[in-house]
Amino acid sequence: MSPRVDQRFKPTRPRSWQVAGLSRGNANLVSSVDGRPAYGGTPEDASVIEAITELKARGHQVTLNPFVMMDVPAGNGLPNPQGGIGQPAYPWRGRITCISGPTTTEAQIAAFFGTAAASHFSLRGQEPIYSGPAEWSYRRFILHQAMLAKAACGVESFLIGSELVGLTQRRSSTGQFPAVTALKALAAQVRLILGPQTKIGYAADWTEYGGYNPAGSQDLCFPLDPLWADPNLDFIGLDWYPPMTDRRQGEPEPDLALLQAGIEGGEGFDFYYASEAERLARTRIPITDGAYQEPWVWRVKDIRSFWSQTHFERIGGQWLTAPTPWVPQSKPIRLMELGFPAVDKAANRPSVFPDPKSSEAGLPPFSTGSRDDGEQRLALEACLSYWLDHSPISAVNGQPMIAPEHIFLWTWDARPYPHFPQLEAVWGDGAHAATGHWLAGRAGILPLRELLVGIGARAGLSFLNPDGVSGFIEGYVVETPATARALIDQLLQPLGLEARPRFEGLEIVEISTPQAVCSLAASDFQLKDGAADMSRIVQPQEAPSHLSVTTYASERDYEPANYRVEGTGSSGLSLSVSLPLVVDGESRQAIAHHLARAIPVERMQGRLTPALAACLQVGDRFEWVDGTQWRIDRLEGPWAQELVATPAPQPRLAKLASHAMEVQPQLPWLVAPPDLVVLDLPSPFTNVQAPKPLIGAFASPWPGTIEVRLAGQLVARVERPMTYGRLVEPLPVAPISCRLAQICVVEFATSEAPPASGKAALYGPDGVMDVLSWSDATWVASQTWRLQGVVRGYHGGAQGPAVPIAAGFVLLDDALVPADLDSSLIGVTAEWTAAPSALPDLETRLEARFSGSAALPWSPCHLRARRNQSGIQLSWVRRASGDGDSWALPEVPSVVATESYIVTVQSSTGVPLRSIEVEGPSYLYPTSNELADFGAVQTEISLSICQRGPFGRLGYCLEERISVQHMS
């Protein structure tokens, strides 16, 4: 139950991520699916406090709902409570339960909740400080969240949990429900933190809140009643997703009345299905209660009776005489979650969601899986209006059972629309938004029916009836003064509508394929000059070869956008249609494709016989003798005998909706300031004579060129992100004899595989610590790789130093670029800045000092100590700090004209005893000095030797304790 981060490397401002004392570097990483985080990380503590404070400043009441995410990846190998090994991937939190084994239910639940208490928490400013047992338990999680609410000066209400049905319905060997007891104790601890002014609740799943029949028994229990009755709980929370319809393929779309009938009726109220096979066969079993005549105890949707009745449990089928602690009507109900997916037949099962990584994902029964914003909106409207009118008033406290202001719609997303869902490079769940529960971009959509009513109302028309119109748009713009008829005419053909004058008014309906009211032939027309007074005019040249539709695009900040399709004609003409609609890309495409096949290229006109004309109306279909279907567009003349007809139009193929995805959205980049490293590397990684720092940058998504500046001057441009990460395990000191064939475990910033071999710099706050190479890379887990065949000590020293865990790791490749640094700034601590060229405000600042390490001599090697009559003769070999690998060279090149060294004699504990500067790679340590330094002749001696480089700077030191050999 610990906080997690979605990325180990994510530069953030104005502060770094911190939750419950953890930083991004030491928090666990969320698992990944297809190389992307399975979930977003835990919200940072300070951001939660800021969100609460800001919402209250805007006049909102705030409920804090701590949420448990189940980070259980596929192939996990965990014990399955249902038996066997391997738990379902990314399950619902209601699956948290106990497993069979030697540990009792009570002990497992106690371990889950833990022992953290309110007394273990305090505030340091606004930061919660925990001093209790070292446990990442459920109690610590909830109480930490309560402390965040306290730091924000309180919230209106607080949830101690939600949908833990796998625990709350778990019965102990003594018949008790220990998780409910634990929740009561937790509520008391939260009360100590938040005080009496905060309303405390628990949000039960819609299958959890009331009566429960343990499998294989005749018992009826109300497990949560002790919690509902607890004085520390102020309301009953419900996450409400029961079925409201039972529609099948071919059945009509639901209307408001049908949906509202399913709120306190239908499946889960009047009947149930014993199995999916019986659902398929529509074998409904009535919900009854035999002798006790309390069918409501089995009705999962009968919250009215649950709230208003006394509860009596049953053991072995026998009714207990003493009721549960619940007092009828004593506390209000809050619908903490109410929502529907935007998918076909959503109301059949509102709880399902489209997330392929989760074992819980699916579609409502009998759903085609197609998007349906209309049913989502109508179902929400049905619930909100129903409880506004049908919520009873408590006789105990005068409050409504369900107050409208305490119905919370699932789901509002804090991520900015339309960046979410369209920026799939940033958020991996964007593809699920089209048919999911999300409301952003949909909540404000306008039903076409209401648009037509609004146009009519503004014009004072009382005879407009658009009840047969479905579909939604996001907005409508009246660009110039126009009549109601002109505005409506402009919408009919593009939106697949037709207007039918009727005696009671103007009826507007969706184009459909109704039955022909009659069949017509030439004989049904009056005669003129001895022939039927009718004609068919075919004008294929009127049909365009290409058609372009332009609307306002909500996903592009309401800029005009167009979609071009092939037409049905061969005229070579292009037709452009501009519509004053605000729609998304999918709807724009649907309109264009519909128009392309809806433009008539044939017309029939003539004078009907009076008797036949009296039987027809505008909009009627008739069948011509050749079997084609026609629509009557006009009936004119004194007796409405003059007919004009066109081929019957086809219905619109796709519903108008919103919230569609664009393959290439034209949106601004959402990036954080880049991460920046300034590397002071030894040779040969930069020029010895004129060393330059190597610059690396990282951001995800990559925003393009990043400009690096020093003192305001541009010094480098980084064109692609560096490959970097952090050490998962520390590296010990690697002496000269032990710095080959080591192992290094690295967690990288992305899921991309590192190269099989390469070189990298290890760095920390004080700069580069070591440079290493590797010859093989093996995947370990998530973004973690084991580098094998590691060689250390390329940094210029004689050994690989100890490198701590979480030290930085940067691949040395062409993603790093040299900075054009003025030599006067070498050795000076300066402020470096980095920002995307296109987004200069996203600036990272870093204080760093470049010392020109490449110009320093490397440590000498091959140290020898041999005793002669005068003392200890020391000798060593100079190492090349540049390119010294050529066999043609008699001696490795030197970086200075005069070769001199500082030799320091040290005690066995490393304390300097004597330093001497010598010319050349040797020194005689006189016996007299040896006796003065140590008091006796030594068999081993500790030495530090470093070469003096340009401008008198000392190079890398060789520090070694060696045996003193005797010269023969």
Side-chain angles (χ1 to χ4, degrees):
M1 196 66 62
S2 62
R4 296 196 173 189
V5 293
D6 60 342
Q7 296 180 42
R8 183 72 66 202
F9 306 92
K10 180 191 274 188
T12 55
R13 62 168 53 182
R15 56 184 172 265
S16 299
W17 183 93
Q18 185 171 5
V19 174
L22 295 179
S23 66
R24 189 174 292 278
N26 57 19
N28 287 331
L29 193 64
V30 169
S31 65
S32 61
V33 177
D34 297 329
R36 308 186 64 171
Y39 297 114
T42 304
E44 185 223 5
D45 281 348
S47 67
V48 174
I49 296 170
E50 288 176 348
I52 294 171
T53 303
E54 177 63 22
L55 287 168
K56 292 196 300 182
R58 297 184 185 188
H60 297 292
Q61 293 184 334
V62 177
T63 297
L64 185 56
N65 180 359
F67 211 86
V68 176
M69 305 300 290
M70 302 291 286
D71 192 10
V72 183
N76 51 77
L78 297 171
N80 192 322
Q82 307 304 318
I85 298 298
Q87 296 181 12
Y90 304 107
W92 167 48
R93 61 192 178 282
R95 307 293 182 197
I96 301 174
T97 188
C98 302
I99 59 174
S100 300
T103 309
T104 65
T105 294
E106 294 95 324
Q108 291 183 57
I109 289 177
F112 173 81
F113 276 88
T115 58
S119 60
H120 297 144
F121 289 86
S122 60
L123 284 177
R124 183 170 58 202
Q126 287 191 317
E127 179 187 0
I129 303 299
Y130 175 69
S131 59
E135 61 183 36
W136 289 109
S137 63
Y138 187 75
R139 280 174 64 110
R140 180 177 175 182
F141 164 54
I142 295 298
L143 295 177
H144 176 81
Q145 298 298 314
M147 290 299 293
L148 295 180
K150 181 178 181 179
C153 300
V155 290
E156 189 274 336
S157 51
F158 183 91
L159 293 184
I160 60 171
S162 63
E163 300 183 23
L164 298 176
V165 58
L167 293 173
T168 60
Q169 293 185 351
R170 185 77 179 198
R171 198 156 54 163
S172 69
S173 57
T174 60
Q176 304 302 308
F177 294 92
V180 177
T181 303
L183 285 171
K184 289 179 59 181
L186 180 56
Q189 294 295 306
V190 171
R191 181 65 72 196
L192 291 175
I193 293 174
L194 295 179
Q197 65 274 15
T198 297
K199 301 289 191 297
I200 297 175
Y202 170 79
D205 181 64
W206 63 279
T207 63
E208 175 190 11
Y209 71 98
Y212 168 58
N213 172 220
S217 76
Q218 291 183 302
D219 297 351
L220 170 67
C221 308
F222 289 90
L224 286 175
D225 273 16
L227 181 63
W228 299 143
D230 191 274
N232 285 310
L233 222 71
D234 298 288
F235 61 88
I236 296 172
L238 298 182
D239 290 349
W240 199 240
Y241 296 102
M244 288 169 55
T245 57
D246 187 28
R247 289 198 300 127
R248 313 297 167 101
Q249 291 296 331
E251 296 183 357
E253 295 279 333
D255 58 15
L256 198 66
L258 176 65
L259 289 166
Q260 290 190 336
I263 295 176
E264 293 188 281
E267 183 181 357
F269 195 99
D270 300 316
F271 66 88
Y272 71 98
Y273 289 116
S275 67
E276 288 304 305
E278 294 195 355
R279 179 187 301 278
L280 191 62
R282 222 168 198 170
T283 304
R284 297 173 170 178
I285 302 174
I287 296 177
T288 59
D289 189 43
Y292 291 112
Q293 293 300 301
E294 284 187 323
W296 67 267
V297 301
W298 312 112
R299 292 172 175 164
V300 71
K301 294 200 299 191
D302 197 353
I303 53 178
R304 183 188 302 269
S305 296
F306 164 84
W307 177 77
S308 62
Q309 300 291 323
T310 302
H311 302 168
F312 291 90
E313 294 187 321
R314 306 174 193 178
I315 302 299
Q318 298 300 309
W319 200 27
L320 300 184
T321 56
T324 71
W326 167 248
V327 176
Q329 306 182 35
S330 58
K331 295 178 183 178
I333 291 174
R334 294 187 179 187
L335 301 186
M336 301 310 302
E337 290 184 23
L338 172 68
F340 298 85
V343 71
D344 174 58
K345 300 179 183 62
N348 278 7
R349 187 174 293 165
S351 58
V352 294
F353 53 91
D355 186 352
K357 78 172 183 291
S358 172
S359 55
E360 310 285 352
L363 290 171
F366 311 106
S367 173
T368 64
S370 61
R371 198 179 82 218
D372 192 340
D373 295 0
E375 182 160 344
Q376 181 192 52
R377 178 190 172 92
L378 197 62
L380 287 172
E381 184 180 346
C383 292
L384 293 173
S385 60
Y386 182 88
W387 289 118
L388 182 65
D389 298 331
H390 295 86
S391 182
I393 302 300
S394 169
V396 176
N397 53 38
Q399 298 181 46
M401 179 181 77
I402 300 175
E405 63 269 22
H406 291 141
I407 297 177
F408 299 88
L409 301 187
W410 185 267
T411 177
W412 295 101
D413 203 307
R415 292 173 288 186
Y417 176 83
H419 303 82
F420 175 81
Q422 291 183 4
L423 285 184
E424 294 189 43
V426 179
W427 297 295
D429 55 346
H432 313 152
T435 56
H437 290 70
W438 283 272
L439 295 171
R442 280 198 275 245
I445 59 176
L446 174 65
L448 287 176
R449 175 178 53 82
E450 293 183 14
L451 170 63
L452 294 168
V453 168
I455 292 174
R458 289 203 172 199
L461 303 178
S462 58
F463 51 83
L464 188 66
N465 177 18
D467 289 345
V469 175
S470 65
F472 299 82
I473 59 173
E474 297 188 50
Y476 180 75
V477 181
V478 180
E479 298 170 304
T480 58
T483 64
R485 174 167 182 165
L487 296 176
I488 293 172
D489 278 346
Q490 190 179 25
L491 298 175
L492 294 180
Q493 190 179 47
L495 300 183
L497 309 176
E498 58 184 352
R500 299 175 178 175
R502 296 293 183 259
F503 177 77
E504 61 275 10
L506 182 65
E507 181 183 51
I508 300 178
V509 298
E510 292 183 354
I511 292 173
S512 59
T513 54
Q515 292 293 322
V517 299
C518 64
S519 298
L520 294 184
S523 58
D524 294 309
F525 289 84
Q526 297 181 37
L527 296 176
K528 181 179 181 182
D529 298 329
D533 187 6
M534 61 83 57
S535 61
R536 288 178 63 173
I537 304 171
V538 180
Q539 295 178 313
Q541 69 277 10
E542 294 182 0
S545 299
H546 301 91
L547 184 139
S548 176
V549 171
T550 300
T551 69
Y552 294 101
S554 57
E555 74 277 13
R556 297 185 178 180
D557 202 21
Y558 302 100
E559 290 290 328
N562 66 77
Y563 185 75
R564 180 183 172 91
V565 295
E566 296 291 325
T568 58
S570 57
S571 62
L573 299 175
S574 294
L575 176 63
S576 295
V577 178
S578 294
L579 298 172
L581 304 176
V582 180
V583 295
D584 63 11
E586 186 175 296
S587 295
R588 190 160 46 252
Q589 294 175 26
I591 292 171
H593 285 292
H594 172 74
L595 270 178
R597 64 191 188 95
I599 298 175
V601 296
E602 190 174 4
R603 185 170 67 251
M604 180 186 294
Q605 60 189 44
R607 182 184 293 271
L608 295 168
T609 62
L612 182 58
C615 301
L616 298 176
Q617 300 185 83
V618 170
D620 284 348
R621 268 60 166 179
F622 66 85
E623 184 174 331
W624 191 244
V625 290
D626 60 3
T628 56
Q629 291 268 340
W630 294 74
R631 180 184 67 184
I632 300 175
D633 293 336
R634 298 201 299 270
L635 288 171
E636 300 174 337
W639 302 100
Q641 300 173 65
E642 297 175 7
L643 172 140
V644 176
T646 54
Q650 297 299 306
R652 191 176 67 228
L653 293 177
K655 293 181 180 180
L656 290 186
S658 66
H659 211 72
M661 301 291 295
E662 275 201 297
V663 178
Q664 297 292 337
Q666 295 183 356
L667 296 169
W669 282 94
L670 289 184
V671 295
D675 209 355
L676 174 67
V677 296
V678 178
L679 299 178
D680 188 358
L681 291 170
S683 62
F685 304 103
T686 183
N687 187 279
V688 174
Q689 303 302 325
K692 301 288 186 183
L694 285 184
I695 307 299
F698 177 86
S700 181
W702 183 250
T705 301
I706 288 179
E707 295 184 347
V708 180
R709 298 178 184 274
L710 186 62
Q713 297 297 314
L714 180 66
V715 294
R717 285 188 173 91
V718 183
E719 300 296 342
R720 67 183 184 90
M722 62 183 173
T723 299
Y724 86 136
R726 70 175 192 115
L727 293 191
V728 175
E729 299 173 356
L731 293 178
V733 172
I736 294 175
S737 59
C738 303
R739 60 192 181 114
L740 304 179
Q742 292 195 340
I743 290 175
C744 179
V745 183
V746 180
E747 182 182 23
F748 287 89
T750 70
S751 58
E752 294 183 10
S757 62
K759 289 185 173 70
L762 304 178
Y763 68 96
D766 296 326
V768 174
M769 292 182 281
D770 197 2
V771 179
L772 55 76
S773 66
W774 68 96
S775 59
D776 192 21
T778 304
W779 181 81
V780 176
S782 186
Q783 297 166 200
T784 303
W785 292 75
R786 179 181 291 108
L787 308 182
Q788 297 166 304
V790 171
V791 177
R792 299 180 57 196
Y794 288 98
H795 66 296
Q799 62 184 15
V803 182
I805 191 172
F809 177 102
V810 178
L811 178 68
L812 300 179
D813 64 3
D814 57 6
L816 306 179
V817 297
D820 186 14
L821 181 71
D822 187 275
S823 60
S824 64
L825 294 175
I826 293 178
V828 177
T829 300
E831 184 178 70
W832 301 69
T833 63
S837 299
L839 299 166
D841 290 339
L842 284 177
E843 185 179 74
T844 294
R845 296 177 179 270
L846 174 69
E847 280 199 351
R849 182 177 66 175
F850 176 70
S851 300
S853 299
L856 299 180
W858 281 31
S859 62
C861 60
H862 303 309
L863 177 62
R864 298 287 185 269
R866 295 187 177 188
R867 184 176 296 281
N868 57 30
Q869 294 180 351
S870 303
I872 301 174
Q873 182 65 51
L874 303 174
S875 65
W876 54 90
V877 175
R878 176 168 51 84
R879 283 204 295 166
S881 55
D883 185 5
D885 289 338
S886 174
W887 290 103
L889 296 174
E891 190 176 359
V892 295
S894 176
V895 295
V896 290
T898 302
E899 184 179 353
S900 65
Y901 298 86
I902 301 296
V903 179
T904 302
V905 180
Q906 300 174 336
S907 70
S908 59
T909 59
V911 176
L913 302 175
R914 181 185 302 271
S915 291
I916 311 99
E917 183 166 358
V918 301
E919 291 187 2
S922 65
Y923 169 62
L924 175 64
Y925 180 36
T927 303
S928 58
N929 289 349
E930 180 182 5
L931 294 174
D933 292 338
F934 295 100
V937 173
Q938 302 295 297
T939 58
E940 291 184 335
I941 188 168
S942 297
L943 298 166
S944 171
I945 303 176
C946 57
Q947 184 179 0
R948 191 177 292 281
F951 308 106
R953 297 170 64 196
L954 292 179
Y956 296 97
C957 289
L958 166 65
E959 293 189 354
E960 191 172 348
R961 184 171 179 80
I962 62 171
S963 297
V964 179
Q965 300 176 354
H966 287 272
M967 298 182 67
S968 58

